[in-house]
């Protein structure tokens, strides 16, 4: 057993205690004040310096120095919870009504703290600077942009992040080059109608019939306009219209989401959305408006960093597996638009998928994720390709 592995196992009880405290006191996006205070305290107790960036919630800390000319590596964890009522029955279940760490961001926070403690023990050996990003508001997909606006990614040569993965066993890590998670856009469609008696439809314009045709026609985009070798998801998830059985209403409103793994496909689908909605509404003698809610881009992993990640995983005693990409979104992708980045899935042997009220994970994964992040930082600081910044390939 290597020294890093032994040190991570020694930390396991502390990391479990940290994760349970966070789990019991979840806070929603942009409300992570107590979570931030707790992280600050754990870092300060370990003698890790807090960096000054203007973030109302969330926190940046640093280890090492660039005085020797070494690079800056960023490790990122998200810290927010979800508006879900927990149903796990765990002794450390959420005490906040209707709030739950149902995506395991408590695990991510504890993992990054674990990596910080391991790197603190090795601070004198660091060949550059490690910046620790405890990011708020991932669930609203706005936190990464807050961190970017704060300047905390300035000067960073490479950024690394992870997400727990319930369907991968503890001890494994899913690492892949290229697309790992989807661009997650939202849309709202307003269909105009003219209200009338349900028995006299010719005196008005029925927005419900138009909305139904639009839903059906939108499904043709994935099947007819996206290559079979690419992929996309179009889901209409809400339709609101009408309030009586015998009245044709004067409008219908629909919401939904688009998921894509490629910017080219994303652009094409969006163009077709506008054409299909206008065309169907026009054919049915009415108008409709599309409101696009631009979400995070796809998570696109740098090939060179994916290779570095695989080496670090093996050195840290994790088994590397090929992950199946997820059509969920992740605002880590905004960082990857700025600097080369790698996002990985850590196996947690969970029983439920992300965002489920019964979501759980196996805490034995904590020392694995902590030492993987620490090893990754140590290796990245010594990577010639990262040091020669600008030469790393961004996919
Ligand atoms: Ni998540």
């Amino acid at each position: 057993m290597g020294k890093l592995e032994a040190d991570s196992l020694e930390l396991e009880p502390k990391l479990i205690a940290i994760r349970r405290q966070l789990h019991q006191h979840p806070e929603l996006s942009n409300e992570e004040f107590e979570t931030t205070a707790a992280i600050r305290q754990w870092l300060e107790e370990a003698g890790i310096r807090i960096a000054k960036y203007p973030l109302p919630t969330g926190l940046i800390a640093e280890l090492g120095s660039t005085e020797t000319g070494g690079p800056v590596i960023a490790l990122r964890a998200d810290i927010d919870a979800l508006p879900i009522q927990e149903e796990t029955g765990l002794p450390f279940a959420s005490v906040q009504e209707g709030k739950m760490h149902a995506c395991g961001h408590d695990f991510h926070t504890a993992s990054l703290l674990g990596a910080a403690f391991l790197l603190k023990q090795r601070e004198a050996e660091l060949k550059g600077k490690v910046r620790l990003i405890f990011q708020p508001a991932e669930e609203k997909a706005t936190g990464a942009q807050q961190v970017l606006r704060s300047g905390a990614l300035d000067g960073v040569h490479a950024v690394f992040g992870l997400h727990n993965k319930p369907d991968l066993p503890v001890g494994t890590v899913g690492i892949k080059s290229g697309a790992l998670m989807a661009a997650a856009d939202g849309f709202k469609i307003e269909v105009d109608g003219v209200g009338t008696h349900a028995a006299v439809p010719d005196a008005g314009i029925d927005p419900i019939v138009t909305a139904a045709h639009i839903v059906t026609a939108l499904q043709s985009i994935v099947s007819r306009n996206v290559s079979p070798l690419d992929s996309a998801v179009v889901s209409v998830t809400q339709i609101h219209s009408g309030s009586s059985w015998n009245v044709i209403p004067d409008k219908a409103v629909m919401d939904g989401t688009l998921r894509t793994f490629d910017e080219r496909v994303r652009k094409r689908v969006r163009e077709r959305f506008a054409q299909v909605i206008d065309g169907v509404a026009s054919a049915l003698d009415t108008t409709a408006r599309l409101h696009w809610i631009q979400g995070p881009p796809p998570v696109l992993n740098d090939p060179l960093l994916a290779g570095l990640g695989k080496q670090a995983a093996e050195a840290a005693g994790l088994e590397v597996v090929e992950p199946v990409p997820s059509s969920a979104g992740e605002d880590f992708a905004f960082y990857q638009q700025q600097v080369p980045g790698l996002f990985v899935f850590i196996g947690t042997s969970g029983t439920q998928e992300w965002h489920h009220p019964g979501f759980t994970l196996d805490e034995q994964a904590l020392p694995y994720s902590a030492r993987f992040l620490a090893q990754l930082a140590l290796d990245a600081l010594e990577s010639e390709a990262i040091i020669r910044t600008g030469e790393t390939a961004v996919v």
Side-chain angles (χ1 to χ4, degrees):
M1 187 187 293
K3 178 86 168 72
L4 189 68
E5 186 173 352
D7 290 348
S8 73
L9 291 172
E10 200 171 308
L11 275 177
E12 185 172 349
K14 181 174 179 179
L15 300 184
I16 289 175
I18 286 174
R19 184 256 163 171
R20 290 185 180 188
Q21 180 177 327
L22 293 168
H23 192 85
Q24 205 162 10
H25 303 280
E27 293 177 296
L28 302 182
S29 302
N30 295 124
E31 297 174 6
E32 311 93 333
F33 294 102
E34 286 180 19
T35 304
T36 301
I39 294 167
R40 175 183 291 272
Q41 195 181 340
W42 284 313
L43 289 167
E44 285 177 348
E45 278 168 11
I48 296 167
R49 67 179 184 274
I50 312 294
K52 284 197 172 60
Y53 287 95
L55 289 169
T57 57
L59 190 69
I60 312 293
E62 287 183 345
L63 288 155
S65 140
T66 52
E67 273 167 25
T68 53
V72 183
I73 300 302
L75 302 177
R76 173 272 206 176
D78 43 11
I79 65 171
D80 55 330
L82 285 158
I84 290 175
Q85 181 63 42
E86 179 158 353
E87 292 174 10
T88 61
L90 288 167
F92 53 92
S94 169
V95 296
Q96 307 291 346
E97 187 75 15
K99 298 176 189 175
M100 177 187 176
H101 269 295
C103 201
H105 297 187
D106 51 346
F107 172 87
H108 305 163
T109 306
S111 299
L112 184 54
L113 284 164
F117 302 151
L118 291 169
L119 291 169
K120 181 66 187 171
Q121 294 166 4
R122 293 156 176 78
E123 192 166 18
E125 306 155 32
L126 294 178
K127 302 275 194 295
K129 187 185 281 186
V130 181
R131 193 168 289 157
L132 310 164
I133 300 174
F134 293 90
Q135 183 208 299
E138 194 285 325
E139 295 295 356
K140 284 195 173 161
T142 55
Q145 287 160 307
Q146 289 176 43
V147 169
L148 286 169
R149 280 196 299 273
S150 80
L153 210 70
D154 294 355
V156 168
H157 294 63
V159 59
F160 300 95
L162 59 78
H163 207 291
N164 71 86
K165 199 74 172 66
D167 59 348
L168 293 180
V170 169
T172 64
V173 56
I175 303 180
K176 93 179 263 302
S177 179
L180 181 71
M181 296 183 73
D185 297 317
F187 58 82
K188 182 182 282 292
I189 303 162
E190 290 178 276
V191 181
D192 299 317
V194 174
T196 179
H197 195 294
V200 193
D202 53 300
I205 294 174
D206 186 345
I208 292 181
V209 169
T210 306
H213 277 280
I214 288 175
V215 172
T216 308
L218 287 177
Q219 294 305 315
S220 75
I221 298 175
V222 174
S223 67
R224 302 294 85 176
N225 301 126
V226 174
S227 160
L229 303 178
D230 291 322
S231 62
V233 180
V234 171
S235 291
V236 177
T237 54
Q238 298 186 54
I239 303 181
H240 298 283
S241 185
S243 57
S244 173
W245 72 284
N246 59 358
V247 176
I248 289 174
D250 63 1
K251 74 171 178 175
V253 180
M254 297 181 279
D255 288 85
T257 185
L258 164 69
R259 304 295 165 109
T260 48
F261 291 93
D262 182 301
E263 288 290 0
R264 193 176 38 83
V265 176
R266 187 187 194 190
K267 185 163 173 280
R268 173 73 175 138
V269 172
R270 184 174 171 173
E271 283 166 4
R272 287 296 294 142
F273 248 75
Q275 291 166 343
V276 164
I277 291 165
D278 278 353
V280 171
S282 166
L284 296 173
D285 199 21
T286 187
T287 47
R289 282 168 305 286
L290 170 64
H291 305 277
W292 199 260
I293 303 139
Q294 183 91 354
V299 168
L300 296 175
N301 284 331
D302 182 287
L304 189 144
L305 297 186
L308 188 88
K310 287 177 186 177
Q311 281 174 18
E314 277 157 21
L318 283 81
E319 184 193 344
V320 177
V321 296
E322 178 76 11
V324 178
S326 165
S327 52
E330 168 56 72
D331 76 356
F332 184 84
F334 286 116
Y335 300 128
Q336 292 176 306
Q337 287 187 321
Q338 306 293 324
V339 300
L342 174 68
F343 197 73
V344 306
F345 289 150
I346 288 274
T348 47
S349 302
T351 51
Q352 306 287 351
E353 253 308 323
W354 301 329
H355 297 206
H356 191 284
F359 174 89
T360 57
L361 50 81
D362 185 338
E363 291 167 329
Q364 284 184 29
L366 279 166
Y368 284 97
S369 53
R371 71 175 181 260
F372 170 66
L373 286 173
Q375 185 73 51
L376 199 48
L378 290 167
D379 290 358
L381 288 178
E382 297 192 29
S383 159
E384 283 299 321
I386 289 177
I387 293 164
R388 292 195 310 270
T389 183
E391 291 181 30
T392 50
V394 181
V395 289

